[in-house]
Amino acid sequence: MKVGLVLEGGAMRGMYTSGVLDVFLDNNIKVDGIIGVSAGVLFGVNFLSKQRGRAIRYNRKFAGDKRYMGFSSLIKTGNIINKEFSFEEVPKKLDVFDNETYKKSGVDFYATVTNVETGKPEYIKLYDVFEQMEVCRATSAMPFVSQIVEIDGKKYLDGGISDSIPIDECKRMGFDKIIVVLTRPIEYRKSKPKDWMAKLKYGKYPNLVETINNRYLNYNKTVEKIIDMENKKEIFVIRPSRLVPLKRIEKDVNKLQEMYDLGVSDCERLINSIKEYLN
């Protein structure tokens, strides 16, 4: 039996995922492969490095720091999440990521990215977080507020644009049991965006424009599919049991803690059911 884990993104809503995964660590929950998207990657790698509490710790510490994220960084660098501080200073010096434990985990971790020219998702295997930090940047490069990230001659943005919840890819990879961690309550659906925004920003990438403008349709369709699969006991879904209003770039540490704590409490409530599903 192969167990797959799908981690939705959602910027600072990813604190929910961090709480869930910390409970997984507490209960020795094992998986064989992970497909993450955006914040699901940035915070999810701590599960394989076995660094319980790291994500909420450094986000509480640096959320209000202008060097970390915000409009100051956007104006100065073109990235709302600062490249040098967030992807270099924090993981390598200020709250060190255990890259060696990550590499020894034996679990395949795939980061979902969106190819800017094709508008299609790609799934890049993260062998080494430090060596592939640009992949981590690419999967979380939110449209409109991030520069395009180039890797091996290809241009990428946030994986959530093209595949917000890669359940189909997880199935295609051959996982028998699949756990999906979402960051929105069950009733949430995306609304149609203003078409002109993507055309204005990314006009020379028509496939990307089409993908951005149709994202709401694809997302809502995937959510309905996940609910159907959940009802049929084909997958196990963990999602927020209530709404915690968060900005994408949330700086209120109390709200971040609330989202994290909700992930912990929701997962603790479900942990016996999760173990039953896996066994």
Side-chain angles (χ1 to χ4, degrees), residues 10-25:
M12 283 303 165
R13 292 197 313 278
M15 287 296 97
Y16 181 84
T17 303
S18 300
V20 169
L21 295 180
D22 281 352
V23 175
F24 277 22
L25 287 173

Side-chain angles (χ1 to χ4, degrees), residues 83 87 111-117 122-126 128-129 131-141 147-159:
K83 174 182 176 180
F87 294 93
T112 308
V113 294
T114 298
N115 186 307
V116 168
E117 295 183 332
E122 295 181 16
Y123 311 91
I124 301 176
K125 189 173 179 179
L126 275 176
D128 185 315
V129 172
E131 290 293 326
Q132 296 175 281
M133 199 60 79
E134 286 296 272
V135 176
C136 296
R137 280 216 311 131
T139 188
S140 59
Q147 292 182 339
I148 291 170
V149 179
E150 190 165 322
I151 302 172
D152 297 331
K154 293 184 177 182
K155 298 175 180 178
Y156 295 113
L157 281 173
D158 194 321

Side-chain angles (χ1 to χ4, degrees), residues 12-208:
M12 283 303 165
R13 292 197 313 278
M15 287 296 97
Y16 181 84
T17 303
S18 300
V20 169
L21 295 180
D22 281 352
V23 175
F24 277 22
L25 287 173
D26 292 342
N27 287 271
N28 200 31
I29 299 296
K30 303 289 187 182
V31 301
D32 300 292
I34 303 172
I35 307 180
V37 183
S38 193
V41 174
L42 300 189
F43 303 146
V45 292
N46 297 295
F47 175 53
L48 297 189
S49 69
K50 298 182 179 180
Q51 289 176 282
R52 191 192 193 286
R54 178 175 179 269
I56 184 62
R57 181 176 65 239
Y58 77 75
N59 276 283
R60 281 185 62 94
K61 187 173 182 179
F62 299 117
D65 194 318
K66 291 183 179 180
R67 297 173 297 170
Y68 184 43
M69 61 182 181
F71 288 102
S72 176
S73 175
L74 179 62
I75 293 168
K76 291 179 180 178
T77 70
N79 292 302
I80 200 162
I81 299 177
N82 187 273
K83 174 182 176 180
E84 297 301 324
F85 189 77
S86 300
F87 294 93
E88 296 295 332
E89 287 287 317
V90 171
K92 295 180 179 180
K93 296 179 181 179
L94 300 177
D95 197 321
V96 178
F97 176 72
D98 189 346
N99 196 42
E100 291 307 311
T101 297
Y102 173 89
K103 290 191 292 184
K104 293 175 183 176
S105 70
V107 177
D108 294 337
F109 197 127
Y110 295 88
T112 308
V113 294
T114 298
N115 186 307
V116 168
E117 295 183 332
T118 67
K120 301 295 184 182
E122 295 181 16
Y123 311 91
I124 301 176
K125 189 173 179 179
L126 275 176
Y127 297 95
D128 185 315
V129 172
F130 284 168
E131 290 293 326
Q132 296 175 281
M133 199 60 79
E134 286 296 272
V135 176
C136 296
R137 280 216 311 131
T139 188
S140 59
M142 294 181 284
F144 305 107
V145 292
S146 305
Q147 292 182 339
I148 291 170
V149 179
E150 190 165 322
I151 302 172
D152 297 331
K154 293 184 177 182
K155 298 175 180 178
Y156 295 113
L157 281 173
D158 194 321
I161 298 169
S162 56
D163 196 358
S164 296
I165 314 169
I167 184 71
D168 287 338
E169 181 63 17
C170 194
K171 288 181 63 180
R172 190 194 67 76
M173 288 183 177
F175 292 102
D176 308 295
K177 298 273 189 173
I178 299 175
I179 300 172
V180 182
V181 182
L182 304 179
T183 58
R184 298 276 198 181
I186 192 169
E187 63 272 10
Y188 176 79
R189 299 295 183 276
K190 287 192 180 297
S191 301
K192 189 178 187 302
K194 296 180 175 64
D195 290 355
W196 63 267
M197 292 180 65
K199 291 178 182 177
L200 181 64
K201 178 71 174 178
Y202 302 111
K204 65 179 181 178
Y205 303 110
N207 293 324
L208 179 66

Side-chain angles (χ1 to χ4, degrees), residues 206-270:
N207 293 324
L208 179 66
V209 171
E210 183 179 4
T211 299
I212 290 174
N213 287 337
N214 287 326
R215 182 188 180 190
Y216 79 106
L217 293 172
N218 295 327
Y219 180 89
N220 295 344
K221 181 180 178 181
T222 301
V223 169
E224 294 296 341
K225 181 175 185 176
I226 285 172
I227 291 173
D228 182 60
M229 294 174 71
E230 181 183 18
N231 289 336
K232 293 176 180 176
K233 310 296 184 184
E234 295 175 357
I235 60 175
F236 196 99
V237 182
I238 306 169
R239 60 170 66 82
S241 55
R242 60 180 175 83
L243 176 66
V244 178
L246 284 183
K247 299 172 184 174
R248 285 201 297 177
I249 305 299
E250 183 60 67
K251 294 180 178 292
D252 186 332
V253 296
N254 292 322
K255 289 185 177 180
L256 296 180
Q257 187 69 52
E258 182 182 359
M259 194 67 171
Y260 171 84
D261 290 344
L262 183 62
V264 170
S265 61
D266 281 351
C267 193
E268 287 179 340
R269 176 172 50 83
L270 295 169

